[in-house]
Amino acid sequence: MAGSENGRGAAAVHTARHRADGTAARAGDYVWALVRISIGWVFLWAFLDKAFGWGFSTPADQAWIRGASPTTGYLKGTARKPLGAVFSPLAGYAWADWLFMIGLLGVGVALILGIGLRLTAVLGGLLLLLMWAAELPPEHNPFMDYRLLYTLVIVGLALINAGDTLGIGRWWGNTALVRRYPFLK
């Protein structure tokens, strides 16, 4: 008896979430697509502002294209944090600058286009977790901050194939490259 009740309950939930016209599912897909694009823009904007010094958080004279290091300010600011001895000495190294900037650009473009979300979840999550660790403890909470939230959301976006709506994720997933190397989906 309990099994049949559970079966009817699951069918009712399925029916409510997936109406015949698809409106409930479609609306949710669009919301998550907009979340994906928005977080992608946050990453892409950080890259552009640091690269070109457009003056929002990076003054023109501190632009990467003018020879400034995009990691120096952030990493030097972690010197007095508990893990500062690990992160602060990395400030200003060209390899750290390149990895950071490639990470910002790659995560931003992938999220906006809706491609490579599995790889983006891993690499973008790693970038965010390292930035979180460098800042421990966060300013307004013992451990939780936006970097952890972004990490969870990016992982969730990859799990629900959020790149298929308002993105080219479905096309990307059907390319020969991704069929051969599924981790690129």
Side-chain angles (χ1 to χ4, degrees), residues 155-173:
V155 168
L157 292 170
L159 291 173
I160 64 168
N161 295 321
D164 293 355
T165 303
L166 298 178
I168 59 172
R170 185 167 294 138
W171 169 82
W172 175 255

Side-chain angles (χ1 to χ4, degrees), residues 62 68-93 96-97 100 130-131 134-136:
Q62 294 298 310
S69 167
T71 61
T72 296
Y74 184 77
L75 290 176
K76 287 291 184 192
T78 66
R80 295 191 177 169
K81 298 285 188 169
L83 296 176
V86 174
F87 291 101
S88 187
L90 303 175
Y93 280 103
D97 292 341
F100 178 64
L130 288 171
M131 292 173 69
E135 283 287 325
L136 280 174

Side-chain angles (χ1 to χ4, degrees), residues 37-113:
I37 293 165
S38 298
I39 295 174
W41 176 247
V42 169
F43 278 87
L44 184 59
W45 179 255
F47 168 81
L48 293 170
D49 191 47
K50 289 172 186 353
F52 301 108
W54 287 344
F56 284 82
S57 58
T58 306
D61 63 335
Q62 294 298 310
W64 193 33
I65 63 168
R66 296 214 169 133
S69 167
T71 61
T72 296
Y74 184 77
L75 290 176
K76 287 291 184 192
T78 66
R80 295 191 177 169
K81 298 285 188 169
L83 296 176
V86 174
F87 291 101
S88 187
L90 303 175
Y93 280 103
W95 64 267
D97 292 341
W98 276 94
L99 283 175
F100 178 64
M101 293 298 281
I102 289 169
L104 291 177
L105 178 62
V107 170
V109 169
L111 286 171
I112 289 170
L113 295 177

Side-chain angles (χ1 to χ4, degrees), residues 87 122-134 147-148 151:
F87 291 101
V122 172
L123 297 178
L126 179 61
L127 175 64
L128 287 163
L129 289 174
L130 288 171
M131 292 173 69
W132 171 79
R147 293 169 194 94
L148 292 180
T151 299

